[in-house]
Amino acid sequence: MADGGPVERGYPHLETVRAAITALYKRLSYDTIHAFDTSVAPVDVAFCDTDDLYLGAQRVARELVRHYRLPDARLVVGFRRMEHAANIELTAGPEYFVELNDRFRTHRRDIGAALAHEIAHVYLHRVDLSFPGTRDNEILTDTATTYLGAGWLLLDAFREDGVSSQKLGYLTPEEFGYVLAKRSLVFGEDPSAWFTSPQAYEAYGRGLERARSDACRPPLTAAGWTGRRRYARDRRHAQDHRPDPAPDVPYAFTTDSPGPLRVTFPCPTCHARVRVPVRGRVRARCGLCRTILECDT
């Protein structure tokens, strides 16, 4: 939790975020991902200053447990002074103890954001999905929270003014915006109407632009002129058995001797690698997220 300090910006964790989206599709399946096609509604996690602190926190926790489809999980919410925003004990369940930072006693509208992340830990624990190392595992949790429909709360908790700042989660605001945009492009859901923070709205706009650019890289037909020209050059080099393209491009050429030249590239939806023959216009289907891809190889 950044509380008054500098907020990291940009996309420093982008590759881990993309790996997390791929891992979600692999572990949960296409059908399970699409069962989360509706995000948590603002009215379901609203917290008024006149609400009882503990009863209100328990109510929001129950709504988020319902959203994550964890009907047999019960959360006991408490508050104490700590460095981080929240902490949860991952036990066998069905009862889990969540501790929230004392700050939330007076910043109650962000209790839903903190609980969304912690209950996502329970969900990932139940499905046995994790990344090695605390940092990458927290990035996975932020990504899962957002992609499964509760992470807009975390981005909306990002606020800055002339004298103070607040941000929850390990992802930067732009990375939260990016994952929200990836979700929006899949489900046709626009979360921007729910933001109360103008900084969250701006970060979502930048993330949406970055997410859309994933579908505009060669060999996809939506790629721009510059990318297409570079792709054509790299393809000629591959056909002449020269070295692979530079590592800053998303595609790579392979061949199964004596088979035809093939190109591999990340799916713009789930970032799993797709492999298609190099033979001009090709329509491919991602085997993981079922996205239909129009390619010019």
Side-chain angles (χ1 to χ4, degrees):
M1 177 173 65
D3 181 9
V7 174
E8 188 175 25
R9 307 301 295 268
Y11 302 92
H13 316 112
L14 189 57
E15 290 310 309
T16 307
V17 167
R18 288 169 171 167
I21 293 174
T22 306
L24 282 173
Y25 273 95
K26 286 183 176 179
R27 185 66 187 89
L28 301 184
S29 81
Y30 170 91
D31 291 332
T32 301
I33 291 286
H34 279 253
F36 289 89
D37 58 346
T38 303
S39 289
V40 173
V43 66
D44 291 336
V45 290
F47 206 121
C48 178
D49 287 341
T50 59
D51 290 344
D52 179 272
L53 177 63
Y54 290 94
L55 293 179
Q58 293 293 154
R59 173 183 57 80
V60 172
R62 285 195 299 272
E63 285 297 330
L64 289 165
V65 165
R66 181 194 59 79
H67 174 76
Y68 285 113
R69 293 163 175 78
L70 299 169
D72 60 336
R74 299 189 300 273
L75 270 75
V76 178
V77 183
F79 298 82
R80 71 174 176 88
R81 295 183 64 180
M82 66 175 82
E83 178 183 357
H84 299 291
N87 182 62
I88 190 167
E89 291 184 33
L90 292 177
T91 62
E95 195 166 70
Y96 300 88
F97 294 89
V98 183
E99 295 177 313
L100 301 182
N101 193 299
D102 262 345
R103 171 186 174 85
F104 293 113
R105 292 179 181 271
T106 54
H107 292 74
R108 298 184 180 186
R109 66 174 174 171
D110 297 323
I111 285 177
L115 287 174
H117 176 93
E118 298 309 314
I119 298 172
H121 272 300
V122 175
Y123 182 85
L124 294 175
H125 178 68
R126 291 276 189 97
V127 300
D128 193 26
L129 176 59
S130 64
F131 278 0
T134 299
R135 170 187 167 277
D136 285 0
N137 201 54
E138 292 292 345
I139 291 172
L140 168 65
T141 305
D142 275 344
T143 303
T145 305
T146 306
Y147 207 82
L148 298 182
W152 69 267
L153 290 161
L154 285 160
L155 180 54
D156 195 41
F158 168 51
R159 288 183 287 276
E160 285 183 318
D161 56 36
V163 295
S164 64
S165 63
Q166 172 186 279
K167 185 187 78 70
L168 302 182
Y170 279 64
L171 299 186
T172 68
E174 289 78 14
E175 288 167 341
F176 272 120
Y178 174 82
V179 182
L180 268 177
K182 301 292 280 189
R183 171 184 169 81
S184 176
L185 293 172
V186 171
F187 296 118
E189 184 183 69
D190 182 8
S192 60
W194 304 328
F195 295 137
T196 61
S197 162
Q199 291 81 20
Y201 188 90
E202 294 169 4
Y204 174 70
R206 289 191 287 271
L208 179 59
E209 182 179 353
R210 187 64 176 259
R212 283 174 172 161
S213 72
D214 288 346
C216 299
R217 300 187 295 177
L220 298 171
T221 56
W225 181 83
T226 302
R228 295 295 314 156
R229 186 176 182 182
R230 180 171 185 177
Y231 177 83
R233 183 197 65 191
D234 292 336
R235 180 179 57 199
R236 286 194 302 271
H237 287 182
Q239 289 168 335
D240 294 337
H241 307 291
R242 300 186 195 180
D244 283 340
D248 62 330
V249 297
Y251 51 82
F253 295 97
T254 63
T255 182
D256 296 329
S257 182
L261 186 68
R262 295 178 178 270
V263 61
T264 64
F265 59 95
C267 169
T269 298
C270 69
H271 302 287
R273 300 296 294 187
V274 179
R275 189 167 181 256
V276 297
V278 174
R279 63 182 185 198
R281 288 277 182 149
V282 174
R283 173 176 284 185
R285 182 186 186 189
C286 176
L288 190 58
C289 69
R290 306 182 187 178
T291 301
I292 302 298
L293 305 170
E294 299 289 345
C295 310
D296 187 358
T297 60

